[in-house]
Amino acid sequence: REGAQMVVVVSPSPFDGKTTIVAHLGLALVETERNVLLVDGDMRNPRLHEVLDLPNTWGLSNLLTERTSLRGATRQMLARETSIPRLHVLPSGPGVDNISRLLRGRRLEQLAHSLHEQFDVILVDTPAALSFSDYRALGRVSDGAVLVVNARRTAAADALEVVERLNGDGISILGGLLNSWDPRRRGHAYGYPYYAHSSH
């Protein structure tokens, strides 16, 4: 959607391929000459740093627990550079207690504001939506959500449940991505007649 700068990427369950899709979208977006930030918002089971071969000794958890002002923060203060020009990553950072409370604090809003100032596009990876509610706090400071479902793993009822939760929270659904779909098989075999036909 035009004007959507910060987007949360959600999926109903683990192993739907969401983290890999976030990385691939980031790589595609830097080709459009934009400064892209990938945020690992899954502080429970972070994987983005592994996909991009970066350390996870510092990241989102640090920025949310520190008390220093985020006003005027530079890109270097907010993220790690990668070997790919214009692609930056904010890893999850070291594990912390009470993640839900941390994400409900005003510090997250302040961080989101700073990220908007420094990056053209921000993609936020999140934990499985049916297991944890972290996506709700992250979605509220974003411009909308993209839903990822896996044709071989995700039950259609689970996908619809996440759609209802996003709508209930007032988080705009900007689009959906069907992962692991084999076009040689009929969409109904996966239980995703809507997603299969809408992916063309």
Side-chain angles (χ1 to χ4, degrees):
R1 188 183 72 182
E2 190 69 26
Q5 183 180 359
M6 184 171 178
V7 176
V8 289
V9 182
V10 302
S11 66
S13 310
F15 312 114
D16 286 333
K18 171 174 45 60
T19 301
T20 302
I21 284 177
V22 168
H24 287 168
L25 284 174
L27 290 170
L29 285 166
V30 295
E31 296 297 324
T32 63
E33 304 294 322
R34 285 181 279 189
N35 288 302
V36 178
L37 173 65
L38 307 182
V39 178
D40 195 339
D42 188 349
M43 291 186 282
R44 304 172 190 275
N45 185 30
R47 285 195 57 244
L48 196 56
H49 68 285
E50 295 177 355
V51 172
L52 293 165
D53 194 25
L54 290 170
N56 194 28
T57 54
W58 170 90
L60 177 61
S61 61
N62 298 95
L63 291 177
L64 291 178
T65 54
E66 291 172 355
R67 295 184 178 275
T68 54
S69 174
L70 291 167
R71 186 171 299 175
T74 64
R75 286 180 197 158
Q76 291 73 24
M77 296 169 61
L78 297 169
R80 293 187 183 277
E81 293 183 346
T82 70
S83 59
I84 301 162
R86 296 183 301 278
L87 181 65
H88 302 75
V89 176
L90 176 57
S92 70
V96 292
D97 295 328
N98 207 334
I99 292 170
S100 297
R101 184 173 64 184
L102 193 63
L103 290 173
R104 289 196 300 267
R106 282 191 53 82
R107 181 79 173 180
L108 179 62
E109 296 178 21
Q110 296 165 3
L111 176 59
H113 179 77
S114 295
L115 297 180
H116 273 82
E117 289 184 331
Q118 291 297 326
F119 299 95
D120 300 317
V121 181
I122 305 147
L123 301 177
V124 185
D125 195 7
T126 62
L130 294 183
S131 301
F132 303 102
S133 61
D134 300 1
Y135 74 94
R136 302 176 72 177
L138 294 164
R140 289 188 186 117
V141 298
S142 300
D143 301 309
V146 168
L147 175 64
V148 174
V149 295
N150 189 296
R152 294 191 176 95
R153 300 181 61 93
T154 311
D158 288 346
L160 291 173
E161 173 69 17
V162 175
V163 168
E164 290 176 1
R165 292 187 185 188
L166 290 168
N167 286 333
D169 288 333
I171 300 171
S172 299
I173 301 174
L174 305 177
L177 291 170
L178 181 63
N179 199 23
S180 301
W181 177 51
D182 185 348
R184 294 170 296 183
R185 295 182 61 180
R186 295 180 60 196
H188 292 274
Y190 292 127
Y192 289 104
Y194 169 78
Y195 284 107
H197 292 305
S198 67
S199 63
H200 292 293

